[in-house]
Amino acid sequence: MSEGQNAPIIIKRKKVVSGDGHHGGAWKVAYADFVTAMMAFFMLMWLLNATTEQQRNGIADYFAPTIPINRISGGGDGALSGQDIFSTESMAQTGKGGVAEQEGDAVTVAQAEAAAEAAALEDLEAALLGIGGETMLDDNMLRHVVTRLTDEGLVIELFDIEGAPLFIGDTAEPTQMTNELSALLARILQVVENDLAIAGHVRSESILRIDYPVWDLSTDRAAALRQMLRDNGTAPDRIVRQTGHANQSPTDPDPQALRNNRVELVVLRSDR
């Protein structure tokens, strides 16, 4: 044999390693999911801090629309016109949107109307007292007037001061100043159409005056103010309430204080 024929045959086997690196490529997918989740988390945190409550509600409505979708679709024209029985749980009317949407619109309209009315009452108060401009009342009349906005409406309070009463003595006969003041009030009240309420109050007297007719006097003074307003152009049907409170609701802690002799005119809110 020749030397070439006796040489041993050596076979080398090459080991093929699959994947990329020690752990393969699966870690890349997991890392990408983690980064995506973190990005969504930080976007959520940013939205919570950068948006208002109204904007967040809008975003929530986008992902949860108020227009319902039938659980079972149908194209027939039977008793339910192609809808299934479950659709009646959330549909007010076909093609009209959801109940929540309609209620939301009604609330928005009511809020807008209430805000507009409140602004009108504030303008009326400003015109009466001269807030931000000139008042229609002179200083002599203005010192008898106090106003306040309440849930019931704009309260215009007219009261006695020392040496300048609204009525003559213990009667319901108005003074000249009260006649002039009521005429100006009637003119100012023409800028709004709200209903009106009138209340009369008187102060307490000494126990020696047991015959002092507090109930009749307070009621008569309220009636006198109503008549003066009507005489100066206020429509009679706008005055929906007239009451006398006698000496039961003093505005001054001293029940005998002259300040408790007063009449109140309330420009009522329309929702009352």
Side-chain angles (χ1 to χ4, degrees):
M1 280 186 159
S2 65
E3 184 177 356
Q5 292 175 342
N6 294 329
I9 299 173
I10 300 173
I11 300 174
K12 294 184 177 180
R13 299 189 178 206
K14 186 175 181 181
K15 185 177 180 180
V16 179
V17 180
S18 62
D20 186 9
H22 181 67
H23 298 290
W27 68 273
K28 295 181 179 178
V29 177
Y31 179 73
D33 292 341
F34 172 75
V35 171
T36 303
M38 291 300 295
M39 181 177 66
F41 173 74
F42 285 116
M43 287 187 65
L44 175 63
M45 297 300 293
W46 175 79
L47 284 172
L48 290 176
N49 287 278
T51 56
T52 63
E53 181 69 23
Q54 184 177 4
Q55 291 172 330
R56 288 193 291 272
N57 289 336
I59 295 174
D61 289 341
Y62 176 81
F63 290 101
T66 57
I67 300 177
I69 300 175
N70 291 343
R71 301 182 195 176
I72 303 174
S73 62
D77 56 355
L80 296 179
S81 301
Q83 301 179 23
D84 74 310
I85 189 171
F86 300 107
S87 65
T88 59
E89 298 175 2
S90 54
M91 289 287 286
Q93 291 179 346
T94 303
K96 295 294 185 180
V99 174
E101 182 179 356
Q102 295 178 12
E103 291 179 349
D105 291 342
V107 171
T108 302
V109 171
Q111 290 175 342
E113 291 177 348
E117 184 172 40
L121 292 180
E122 290 176 357
D123 291 343
L124 180 63
E125 182 182 32
L128 181 63
L129 300 181
I131 300 174
E134 294 184 358
T135 177
M136 297 180 67
L137 307 178
D138 60 30
D139 293 339
N140 187 44
M141 295 180 182
L142 195 58
R143 60 185 182 149
H144 289 269
V145 180
V146 168
T147 63
R148 61 183 183 276
L149 283 168
T150 67
D151 292 339
E152 189 177 26
L154 175 63
V155 180
I156 304 172
E157 185 179 302
L158 314 178
F159 55 90
D160 282 356
I161 59 177
E162 192 65 39
L166 296 176
F167 299 91
I168 298 174
D170 294 336
T171 71
E173 184 178 350
T175 62
Q176 180 63 28
M177 185 274 302
T178 306
N179 279 309
E180 294 175 359
L181 181 55
S182 61
L184 286 174
L185 284 176
R187 287 175 52 192
I188 294 174
L189 291 173
Q190 292 177 1
V191 303
V192 295
E193 298 179 352
N194 302 60
D195 289 337
L196 306 172
I198 300 174
H201 302 264
V202 296
R203 65 175 178 170
S204 297
E205 287 286 349
S206 170
I207 194 171
L208 298 177
R209 293 284 309 276
I210 58 175
D211 60 337
Y212 187 49
V214 290
W215 287 103
D216 292 342
L217 185 57
S218 62
T219 302
D220 291 345
R221 288 181 174 180
L225 178 59
R226 175 178 58 84
Q227 188 60 50
M228 285 184 285
L229 292 174
R230 292 181 58 178
D231 292 343
N232 286 284
T234 301
D237 58 353
R238 289 185 61 186
I239 303 174
V240 297
R241 189 175 74 229
Q242 174 191 308
T243 54
H245 297 269
N247 55 356
Q248 301 302 302
S249 302
T251 190
D252 190 290
D254 179 6
Q256 296 186 30
L258 190 63
R259 175 69 172 78
N260 292 321
N261 280 338
R262 67 195 192 278
V263 286
E264 293 178 350
L265 173 65
V266 186
V267 184
L268 298 170
R269 297 182 186 271
S270 59
D271 56 349
R272 294 293 169 181

mmCIF file of all heavy atoms in Angstrom, residues 60-90:
data_model
loop_
_atom_site.group_PDB
_atom_site.id
_atom_site.type_symbol
_atom_site.label_atom_id
_atom_site.label_comp_id
_atom_site.label_asym_id
_atom_site.label_seq_id
_atom_site.Cartn_x
_atom_site.Cartn_y
_atom_site.Cartn_z
ATOM 1 N N ALA A 60 -63.622 59.916 27.734
ATOM 2 C CA ALA A 60 -64.319 58.714 28.203
ATOM 3 C C ALA A 60 -65.524 58.408 27.335
ATOM 4 O O ALA A 60 -65.797 57.243 27.021
ATOM 5 C CB ALA A 60 -64.738 58.898 29.658
ATOM 6 N N ASP A 61 -66.253 59.445 26.921
ATOM 7 C CA ASP A 61 -67.408 59.232 26.048
ATOM 8 C C ASP A 61 -66.996 58.686 24.684
ATOM 9 O O ASP A 61 -67.749 57.940 24.055
ATOM 10 C CB ASP A 61 -68.178 60.547 25.862
ATOM 11 C CG ASP A 61 -68.907 60.966 27.130
ATOM 12 O OD1 ASP A 61 -69.110 60.091 27.993
ATOM 13 O OD2 ASP A 61 -69.242 62.159 27.252
ATOM 14 N N TYR A 62 -65.795 59.071 24.236
ATOM 15 C CA TYR A 62 -65.314 58.578 22.935
ATOM 16 C C TYR A 62 -65.138 57.061 22.977
ATOM 17 O O TYR A 62 -65.470 56.354 22.028
ATOM 18 C CB TYR A 62 -63.993 59.262 22.576
ATOM 19 C CG TYR A 62 -63.374 58.738 21.297
ATOM 20 C CD1 TYR A 62 -63.825 59.194 20.057
ATOM 21 C CD2 TYR A 62 -62.360 57.787 21.328
ATOM 22 C CE1 TYR A 62 -63.272 58.708 18.885
ATOM 23 C CE2 TYR A 62 -61.802 57.302 20.168
ATOM 24 C CZ TYR A 62 -62.253 57.758 18.939
ATOM 25 O OH TYR A 62 -61.701 57.276 17.795
ATOM 26 N N PHE A 63 -64.612 56.554 24.090
ATOM 27 C CA PHE A 63 -64.377 55.121 24.202
ATOM 28 C C PHE A 63 -65.602 54.368 24.720
ATOM 29 O O PHE A 63 -65.638 53.134 24.678
ATOM 30 C CB PHE A 63 -63.191 54.847 25.137
ATOM 31 C CG PHE A 63 -61.867 55.262 24.551
ATOM 32 C CD1 PHE A 63 -61.275 56.450 24.934
ATOM 33 C CD2 PHE A 63 -61.239 54.490 23.597
ATOM 34 C CE1 PHE A 63 -60.063 56.840 24.397
ATOM 35 C CE2 PHE A 63 -60.035 54.872 23.052
ATOM 36 C CZ PHE A 63 -59.438 56.052 23.446
ATOM 37 N N ALA A 64 -66.596 55.111 25.206
ATOM 38 C CA ALA A 64 -67.837 54.484 25.670
ATOM 39 C C ALA A 64 -69.002 55.279 25.118
ATOM 40 O O ALA A 64 -69.643 56.037 25.835
ATOM 41 C CB ALA A 64 -67.889 54.429 27.186
ATOM 42 N N PRO A 65 -69.303 55.199 23.830
ATOM 43 C CA PRO A 65 -70.346 56.034 23.211
ATOM 44 C C PRO A 65 -71.710 55.744 23.813
ATOM 45 O O PRO A 65 -71.998 54.640 24.258
ATOM 46 C CB PRO A 65 -70.284 55.615 21.728
ATOM 47 C CG PRO A 65 -69.688 54.250 21.747
ATOM 48 C CD PRO A 65 -68.712 54.242 22.894
ATOM 49 N N THR A 66 -72.517 56.827 23.840
ATOM 50 C CA THR A 66 -73.860 56.690 24.412
ATOM 51 C C THR A 66 -74.851 56.085 23.428
ATOM 52 O O THR A 66 -75.934 55.686 23.828
ATOM 53 C CB THR A 66 -74.392 58.059 24.845
ATOM 54 O OG1 THR A 66 -74.369 58.936 23.712
ATOM 55 C CG2 THR A 66 -73.542 58.635 25.953
ATOM 56 N N ILE A 67 -74.510 56.026 22.117
ATOM 57 C CA ILE A 67 -75.400 55.408 21.141
ATOM 58 C C ILE A 67 -75.216 53.907 21.219
ATOM 59 O O ILE A 67 -74.128 53.403 20.944
ATOM 60 C CB ILE A 67 -75.104 55.904 19.712
ATOM 61 C CG1 ILE A 67 -75.294 57.415 19.648
ATOM 62 C CG2 ILE A 67 -75.976 55.196 18.700
ATOM 63 C CD1 ILE A 67 -74.965 58.007 18.316
ATOM 64 N N PRO A 68 -76.208 53.148 21.629
ATOM 65 C CA PRO A 68 -76.039 51.723 21.858
ATOM 66 C C PRO A 68 -76.016 50.929 20.565
ATOM 67 O O PRO A 68 -76.495 51.372 19.524
ATOM 68 C CB PRO A 68 -77.259 51.365 22.701
ATOM 69 C CG PRO A 68 -78.290 52.344 22.273
ATOM 70 C CD PRO A 68 -77.554 53.609 21.953
ATOM 71 N N ILE A 69 -75.473 49.729 20.650
ATOM 72 C CA ILE A 69 -75.418 48.801 19.526
ATOM 73 C C ILE A 69 -76.191 47.563 19.928
ATOM 74 O O ILE A 69 -76.015 47.032 21.030
ATOM 75 C CB ILE A 69 -73.959 48.438 19.175
ATOM 76 C CG1 ILE A 69 -73.188 49.709 18.804
ATOM 77 C CG2 ILE A 69 -73.905 47.419 18.055
ATOM 78 C CD1 ILE A 69 -71.731 49.465 18.552
ATOM 79 N N ASN A 70 -77.038 47.090 19.060
ATOM 80 C CA ASN A 70 -77.826 45.908 19.368
ATOM 81 C C ASN A 70 -76.930 44.713 19.601
ATOM 82 O O ASN A 70 -75.932 44.519 18.903
ATOM 83 C CB ASN A 70 -78.794 45.589 18.215
ATOM 84 C CG ASN A 70 -79.883 46.621 18.089
ATOM 85 O OD1 ASN A 70 -80.116 47.392 19.006
ATOM 86 N ND2 ASN A 70 -80.559 46.620 16.950
ATOM 87 N N ARG A 71 -77.310 43.894 20.573
ATOM 88 C CA ARG A 71 -76.559 42.667 20.799
ATOM 89 C C ARG A 71 -76.786 41.677 19.664
ATOM 90 O O ARG A 71 -75.957 40.805 19.421
ATOM 91 C CB ARG A 71 -76.993 42.038 22.130
ATOM 92 C CG ARG A 71 -76.787 42.959 23.329
ATOM 93 C CD ARG A 71 -77.190 42.266 24.608
ATOM 94 N NE ARG A 71 -77.331 43.230 25.692
ATOM 95 C CZ ARG A 71 -77.749 42.914 26.917
ATOM 96 N NH1 ARG A 71 -78.066 41.675 27.205
ATOM 97 N NH2 ARG A 71 -77.867 43.840 27.860
ATOM 98 N N ILE A 72 -77.938 41.750 19.024
ATOM 99 C CA ILE A 72 -78.240 40.874 17.906
ATOM 100 C C ILE A 72 -78.716 41.756 16.769
ATOM 101 O O ILE A 72 -79.665 42.510 16.923
ATOM 102 C CB ILE A 72 -79.332 39.853 18.269
ATOM 103 C CG1 ILE A 72 -78.900 39.029 19.487
ATOM 104 C CG2 ILE A 72 -79.655 38.953 17.094
ATOM 105 C CD1 ILE A 72 -79.973 38.113 20.003
ATOM 106 N N SER A 73 -78.032 41.696 15.649
ATOM 107 C CA SER A 73 -78.449 42.527 14.532
ATOM 108 C C SER A 73 -79.515 41.787 13.739
ATOM 109 O O SER A 73 -79.543 40.555 13.679
ATOM 110 C CB SER A 73 -77.246 42.840 13.636
ATOM 111 O OG SER A 73 -76.725 41.655 13.095
ATOM 112 N N GLY A 74 -80.359 42.557 13.099
ATOM 113 C CA GLY A 74 -81.408 41.941 12.294
ATOM 114 C C GLY A 74 -81.868 42.888 11.230
ATOM 115 O O GLY A 74 -81.799 44.090 11.392
ATOM 116 N N GLY A 75 -82.349 42.375 10.138
ATOM 117 C CA GLY A 75 -82.776 43.221 9.045
ATOM 118 C C GLY A 75 -84.250 43.103 8.757
ATOM 119 O O GLY A 75 -84.733 43.615 7.754
ATOM 120 N N GLY A 76 -84.972 42.408 9.630
ATOM 121 C CA GLY A 76 -86.383 42.199 9.378
ATOM 122 C C GLY A 76 -87.213 43.406 9.719
ATOM 123 O O GLY A 76 -86.737 44.386 10.279
ATOM 124 N N ASP A 77 -88.466 43.354 9.439
ATOM 125 C CA ASP A 77 -89.391 44.450 9.739
ATOM 126 C C ASP A 77 -90.549 43.929 10.570
ATOM 127 O O ASP A 77 -91.696 44.282 10.356
ATOM 128 C CB ASP A 77 -89.903 45.110 8.454
ATOM 129 C CG ASP A 77 -90.555 44.105 7.538
ATOM 130 O OD1 ASP A 77 -90.519 42.901 7.865
ATOM 131 O OD2 ASP A 77 -91.103 44.530 6.510
ATOM 132 N N GLY A 78 -90.236 43.072 11.528
ATOM 133 C CA GLY A 78 -91.273 42.481 12.359
ATOM 134 C C GLY A 78 -91.718 43.438 13.439
ATOM 135 O O GLY A 78 -91.669 44.653 13.313
ATOM 136 N N ALA A 79 -92.132 42.867 14.581
ATOM 137 C CA ALA A 79 -92.708 43.661 15.652
ATOM 138 C C ALA A 79 -91.736 44.665 16.221
ATOM 139 O O ALA A 79 -92.120 45.742 16.666
ATOM 140 C CB ALA A 79 -93.214 42.732 16.772
ATOM 141 N N LEU A 80 -90.426 44.330 16.228
ATOM 142 C CA LEU A 80 -89.414 45.236 16.775
ATOM 143 C C LEU A 80 -88.631 45.939 15.683
ATOM 144 O O LEU A 80 -87.577 46.502 15.946
ATOM 145 C CB LEU A 80 -88.455 44.447 17.682
ATOM 146 C CG LEU A 80 -89.110 43.839 18.929
ATOM 147 C CD1 LEU A 80 -88.073 43.074 19.738
ATOM 148 C CD2 LEU A 80 -89.770 44.901 19.781
ATOM 149 N N SER A 81 -89.110 45.894 14.426
ATOM 150 C CA SER A 81 -88.486 46.606 13.306
ATOM 151 C C SER A 81 -87.022 46.241 13.141
ATOM 152 O O SER A 81 -86.170 47.087 12.899
ATOM 153 C CB SER A 81 -88.629 48.120 13.499
ATOM 154 O OG SER A 81 -89.977 48.492 13.588
ATOM 155 N N GLY A 82 -86.717 44.964 13.279
ATOM 156 C CA GLY A 82 -85.344 44.532 13.050
ATOM 157 C C GLY A 82 -84.456 44.634 14.258
ATOM 158 O O GLY A 82 -83.318 44.206 14.219
ATOM 159 N N GLN A 83 -84.941 45.201 15.374
ATOM 160 C CA GLN A 83 -84.147 45.312 16.580
ATOM 161 C C GLN A 83 -84.481 44.147 17.493
ATOM 162 O O GLN A 83 -85.553 43.554 17.416
ATOM 163 C CB GLN A 83 -84.422 46.631 17.301
ATOM 164 C CG GLN A 83 -84.130 47.854 16.450
ATOM 165 C CD GLN A 83 -84.452 49.115 17.207
ATOM 166 O OE1 GLN A 83 -84.483 49.130 18.417
ATOM 167 N NE2 GLN A 83 -84.684 50.193 16.480
ATOM 168 N N ASP A 84 -83.553 43.841 18.385
ATOM 169 C CA ASP A 84 -83.842 42.804 19.350
ATOM 170 C C ASP A 84 -84.399 43.422 20.620
ATOM 171 O O ASP A 84 -84.390 44.626 20.809
ATOM 172 C CB ASP A 84 -82.582 41.980 19.652
ATOM 173 C CG ASP A 84 -81.610 42.744 20.517
ATOM 174 O OD1 ASP A 84 -81.318 43.888 20.156
ATOM 175 O OD2 ASP A 84 -81.150 42.212 21.538
ATOM 176 N N ILE A 85 -84.869 42.587 21.515
ATOM 177 C CA ILE A 85 -85.525 43.088 22.716
ATOM 178 C C ILE A 85 -84.591 43.849 23.621
ATOM 179 O O ILE A 85 -84.988 44.731 24.379
ATOM 180 C CB ILE A 85 -86.164 41.904 23.477
ATOM 181 C CG1 ILE A 85 -87.049 42.414 24.616
ATOM 182 C CG2 ILE A 85 -85.098 40.969 24.030
ATOM 183 C CD1 ILE A 85 -87.864 41.323 25.262
ATOM 184 N N PHE A 86 -83.266 43.552 23.575
ATOM 185 C CA PHE A 86 -82.308 44.201 24.466
ATOM 186 C C PHE A 86 -82.082 45.663 24.103
ATOM 187 O O PHE A 86 -81.680 46.457 24.936
ATOM 188 C CB PHE A 86 -80.966 43.447 24.435
ATOM 189 C CG PHE A 86 -81.085 42.019 24.869
ATOM 190 C CD1 PHE A 86 -81.005 40.987 23.941
ATOM 191 C CD2 PHE A 86 -81.311 41.695 26.192
ATOM 192 C CE1 PHE A 86 -81.117 39.672 24.338
ATOM 193 C CE2 PHE A 86 -81.425 40.375 26.598
ATOM 194 C CZ PHE A 86 -81.330 39.363 25.661
ATOM 195 N N SER A 87 -82.327 46.039 22.867
ATOM 196 C CA SER A 87 -82.065 47.418 22.451
ATOM 197 C C SER A 87 -83.005 48.397 23.134
ATOM 198 O O SER A 87 -82.684 49.565 23.285
ATOM 199 C CB SER A 87 -82.198 47.552 20.933
ATOM 200 O OG SER A 87 -83.526 47.300 20.541
ATOM 201 N N THR A 88 -84.170 47.948 23.570
ATOM 202 C CA THR A 88 -85.112 48.855 24.216
ATOM 203 C C THR A 88 -84.661 49.254 25.603
ATOM 204 O O THR A 88 -85.202 50.182 26.190
ATOM 205 C CB THR A 88 -86.493 48.193 24.316
ATOM 206 O OG1 THR A 88 -86.368 46.982 25.079
ATOM 207 C CG2 THR A 88 -87.043 47.867 22.943
ATOM 208 N N GLU A 89 -83.648 48.564 26.159
ATOM 209 C CA GLU A 89 -83.155 48.925 27.477
ATOM 210 C C GLU A 89 -82.382 50.226 27.456
ATOM 211 O O GLU A 89 -82.291 50.920 28.457
ATOM 212 C CB GLU A 89 -82.257 47.812 28.028
ATOM 213 C CG GLU A 89 -83.003 46.481 28.200
ATOM 214 C CD GLU A 89 -82.063 45.379 28.626
ATOM 215 O OE1 GLU A 89 -80.862 45.691 28.819
ATOM 216 O OE2 GLU A 89 -82.495 44.231 28.775
ATOM 217 N N SER A 90 -81.788 50.567 26.319
ATOM 218 C CA SER A 90 -80.910 51.736 26.283
ATOM 219 C C SER A 90 -81.243 52.728 25.195
ATOM 220 O O SER A 90 -80.624 53.781 25.112
ATOM 221 C CB SER A 90 -79.451 51.274 26.113
ATOM 222 O OG SER A 90 -79.342 50.445 24.987
#
